[in-house]
Amino acid sequence: MGRLFSFSLLSFLPLLILFSILNAKPAKGFPLSTNSRWIVDDQSGQRVKLACVNWASHLEPVVAEGLSKKPVDVISKGILAMGFNCVRFTWPIYLATNDSLAFLTVRQSFQNLGLTEAIAGIQTNNPSIIDIPLIEAFQAVVSNLGDNNVMVILDNHITKPGWCCSNTDGNGFFGDQYFDPQLWINGLTKMATLFNGVTNVIGMSLRNELRGPKQNVNDWYREELKQCIQQTQMFLVILSGLNFDKDLSFIRNQPVSLTFTGKTVFEVHWYSFTDGQAWVNGNPNQVCGRVANNMKGSSGFLLDKGWPLLVSEWGVDLRGTNVNDNRYLNCILGVLTELDLDWALWTLVGSYYLREGVVGLNEYYGVLNWNWGEIRNSSFLQRISFLQSPSRGPGLSERSLHKVIFHPLTGLCVLRKSYFDPLRLGPCTDTEPWNYTPQKILYLKGTYFCIQSNGLGKPAKLGIKCTNSNTRWEIISDSKMHLSSQAKDGTTVCLDVDSSNTLVTNTCKCLGTDKTCDPASQWFKLVDSTRSSTTTKSFLQFNPSLDLPGKDFLWKLFDSF
């Protein structure tokens, strides 16, 4: 993918477990299939949500990045502790088809590139792989991920080892300099054979980011693609779209015709720079609405047609200084939660052995820092923790369908401490179910209590008078993430969050065309869920459809607050 541009790892594991203990469940390694738009366990039929991180092994050394910095087992355990259950593991076709490369030892590969410091690091941290062939080193990493209950998607990222991607790198589409269709089929067949029966390998992504001047819809459907699908169908078969994997719209009118069912997944990529500098140059509400609709139109429609969709690359500069990325992140987190999508974050990698001629290049999109022993941005892990567990799908019916009120800027959800205190943000694992009625009322499900606005700058609280204008919450703005109400004095307000994570109501932000404003604190997403929380229900829970004794008393009680 073309891009612009302290704790030790052992000591941060306990901290990470606090973030992830109730998030993604470890993968046990099993065959997966598809059931309509969901990925499911073959045996139980229950949904398995892929919450993956990309780990690169397709650059010139053809060795998984970071093995000169930390032992592979430490890295694998760190992946799981950060809440990821899956790795999208990249590889070049030449690894499977060029024996002179595949059987080059790790030491020889680095020697050929003059990477003496990396050799010393691998000798120290992973001595068992330093003198084995590259293909065996690749297998060893997959095996270690399996030992740590991490699933693997084998992603054919490129043909000739190197950085990816551009329109002119010769790797983009059938007939390009480095994209010989028969060689591609041979490589995928070899890898499918090699990993057949390796239980934590659950999918094969057939080719990363189809692109370039030769790309066209007719050739996308050509026989070579069907042959590759046939060779890899023992795994989930993951298919890329066109235009750097941004466009799958052609499938709307010409579905993929296959001789088998239950294995096909489509993938899409979505970064801030997918839309250039739109996030800097435009109003965030308008940009979010536009690009989210574009994504749904170009690929998201597949969900309604009964196909799983994997956002196999997305990510941001984790230094937090990129305005384009920061605004995009609030929007994509809303879309990922709304659609409950499977995904793979770019990237685990903190630094590269060699990228585009630079030794030890720092990867600012990396979850890990340059030395692979520190988390680059721990608050980011909190923000994505809710995304790492499924909200719904086959086998996930612990509760009836309800809403979770998610806040993308923090990664937290709306909670209540009691019926008397202001509402606050807190861990989504502690949230109670909400109900959003056709009358636009947000009830705490199973109770008489609804969210009320109480005026500009004032806390939002639960109340039991739920027929006034201050209890109706319209979803407004192009982003569809503002919750707007009318206070008792007639003022229009939006749900917001103050510095202490208390819910308040303020003037709605960025509803015009101003491109300098930032509405993120007021963005909330009502997420469909059938999952239970860890919160114990209060004794003050009712069914609002019933006329129970005590209702009038509670009405008077709450009206006094």
Side-chain angles (χ1 to χ4, degrees), residues 23 71 79 98 135 161 250 347 351 365 379 401 533 540:
N23 296 336
I79 290 168
N98 186 324
I135 189 65
F250 50 91
T347 174
S351 58
Y365 280 56
S379 66
L401 186 66
S533 70
L540 282 174

Side-chain angles (χ1 to χ4, degrees), residues 439-471:
Q439 294 75 36
K440 312 294 177 64
I441 311 298
L442 274 167
Y443 280 105
L444 192 60
K445 193 166 185 176
T447 77
Y448 290 120
F449 300 100
C450 63
I451 301 179
Q452 295 182 341
S453 63
N454 295 294
L456 281 174
K458 294 184 179 179
K461 293 185 176 182
L462 290 173
I464 201 168
K465 278 190 176 180
C466 300
T467 57
N468 298 329
S469 61
N470 70 323
T471 64

Side-chain angles (χ1 to χ4, degrees), residues 266-283:
F266 291 97
E267 63 178 325
V268 65
H269 293 178
W270 183 12
Y271 291 95
S272 68
F273 50 80
T274 299
D275 301 286
Q277 291 294 301
W279 296 97
V280 173
N281 298 327
N283 172 274

Side-chain angles (χ1 to χ4, degrees), residues 330-348:
N330 296 315
C331 182
I332 192 174
L333 292 181
V335 174
L336 291 174
T337 53
E338 174 192 6
L339 301 179
D340 198 8
L341 290 165
D342 300 277
W343 50 266
L345 178 74
W346 191 275
T347 174
L348 173 72

Side-chain angles (χ1 to χ4, degrees), residues 424-445:
R424 295 179 53 82
L425 294 180
C428 293
T429 50
D430 294 341
T431 188
E432 293 174 272
W434 297 88
N435 184 31
Y436 187 57
T437 71
Q439 294 75 36
K440 312 294 177 64
I441 311 298
L442 274 167
Y443 280 105
L444 192 60
K445 193 166 185 176

Side-chain angles (χ1 to χ4, degrees), residues 316-492:
V316 293
D317 183 335
L318 290 175
R319 292 173 295 181
T321 56
N322 186 314
V323 175
N324 213 47
D325 276 3
N326 293 345
R327 291 180 172 182
Y328 143 91
L329 179 59
N330 296 315
C331 182
I332 192 174
L333 292 181
V335 174
L336 291 174
T337 53
E338 174 192 6
L339 301 179
D340 198 8
L341 290 165
D342 300 277
W343 50 266
L345 178 74
W346 191 275
T347 174
L348 173 72
V349 173
S351 58
Y352 299 94
Y353 306 119
L354 177 69
R355 175 180 146 181
E356 299 174 292
V358 179
V359 176
L361 183 71
N362 201 338
E363 171 58 277
Y364 296 119
Y365 280 56
V367 174
L368 298 179
N369 215 327
W370 180 86
N371 63 10
W372 289 67
E374 300 167 355
I375 302 171
R376 192 176 295 273
N377 184 334
S378 59
S379 66
F380 176 76
L381 293 181
Q382 173 180 286
R383 292 182 68 180
I384 67 171
S385 63
F386 180 55
L387 284 68
Q388 291 175 316
S389 292
S391 293
R392 52 200 168 94
L396 303 177
S397 55
E398 299 162 7
R399 266 193 173 133
S400 60
L401 186 66
H402 60 273
K403 300 289 186 183
V404 172
I405 309 174
F406 176 67
H407 189 244
L409 180 63
T410 59
L412 301 174
C413 291
V414 174
L415 311 179
R416 56 103 183 174
K417 182 178 179 181
S418 73
Y419 290 105
F420 305 98
D421 294 310
L423 296 164
R424 295 179 53 82
L425 294 180
C428 293
T429 50
D430 294 341
T431 188
E432 293 174 272
W434 297 88
N435 184 31
Y436 187 57
T437 71
Q439 294 75 36
K440 312 294 177 64
I441 311 298
L442 274 167
Y443 280 105
L444 192 60
K445 193 166 185 176
T447 77
Y448 290 120
F449 300 100
C450 63
I451 301 179
Q452 295 182 341
S453 63
N454 295 294
L456 281 174
K458 294 184 179 179
K461 293 185 176 182
L462 290 173
I464 201 168
K465 278 190 176 180
C466 300
T467 57
N468 298 329
S469 61
N470 70 323
T471 64
R472 287 193 292 272
W473 295 93
E474 299 274 354
I475 299 174
I476 65 167
S477 81
D478 289 354
S479 68
K480 305 299 182 188
M481 285 198 279
H482 276 94
L483 292 171
S484 173
S485 185
Q486 194 172 70
K488 291 181 179 179
D489 62 4
T491 305
T492 298

Side-chain angles (χ1 to χ4, degrees), residues 20 65 82 102 116 175 233 242 273 303 391 436 462 480 526:
S20 64
E65 303 290 339
M82 287 187 286
T116 55
Q233 64 177 289
L242 300 174
F273 50 80
L303 301 173
S391 293
Y436 187 57
L462 290 173
K480 305 299 182 188
L526 301 183

